[in-house]
Amino acid sequence: MNILAGAGASSYSGIILIVVMIVAMYFLMIRPQRKQQQKHQSTLSQLQKGDHVITIGRLHGVVDEINREAGTVTLDCDGIYLVFDLNAIATVNQKNCRAGNGQ
């Protein structure tokens, strides 16, 4: 009788261990990645003409045009205009200051 009770307890502990591992994986991997994606989407939605950006290919440029319907952005890279997918923008280095700083 005790042997069967011990086997039942070990199967429950195995199931509990798997559930704990899934919960830990959610909080350590999935949740931070989701927060990072939301932050990136927020950055892209606030992108404006004149912002200094870096693409995922490490190309530095200034936003010249944004086409949100097509999901593209045109960058001015020292007089060379390149069109990228909007998701290719990795970071925004410097926001465009439109508060009259002489530019």
Side-chain angles (χ1 to χ4, degrees), residues 5-48:
S10 86
S11 69
Y12 284 129
S13 65
I15 292 172
I16 291 172
L17 180 63
I18 290 173
V19 169
V20 167
M21 288 175 54
I22 290 171
V23 169
M25 186 173 67
Y26 172 77
F27 280 106
L28 294 176
M29 294 173 55
I30 297 171
R31 188 169 179 235
Q33 183 179 7
R34 195 172 286 164
K35 279 187 173 185
Q36 184 179 12
Q37 286 174 343
Q38 288 174 346
K39 182 180 176 186
H40 186 253
Q41 287 299 322
S42 172
T43 301
L44 292 180
S45 69
Q46 296 173 0
L47 196 63
Q48 297 177 359

Side-chain angles (χ1 to χ4, degrees), residues 46-52 62-63 92-103:
Q46 296 173 0
L47 196 63
Q48 297 177 359
K49 183 177 179 176
D51 290 348
H52 294 261
V62 179
V63 175
V92 177
N93 264 358
Q94 179 181 1
K95 295 294 287 177
N96 184 15
C97 298
R98 295 182 183 209
N101 60 356
Q103 291 182 5

Side-chain angles (χ1 to χ4, degrees), residues 53 55 58-64 74-84:
V53 298
T55 66
R58 295 301 174 229
L59 181 76
H60 296 244
V62 179
V63 175
D64 184 62
T74 303
L75 298 183
D76 178 4
C77 303
D78 293 330
I80 300 170
Y81 294 90
L82 302 170
V83 179
F84 288 94

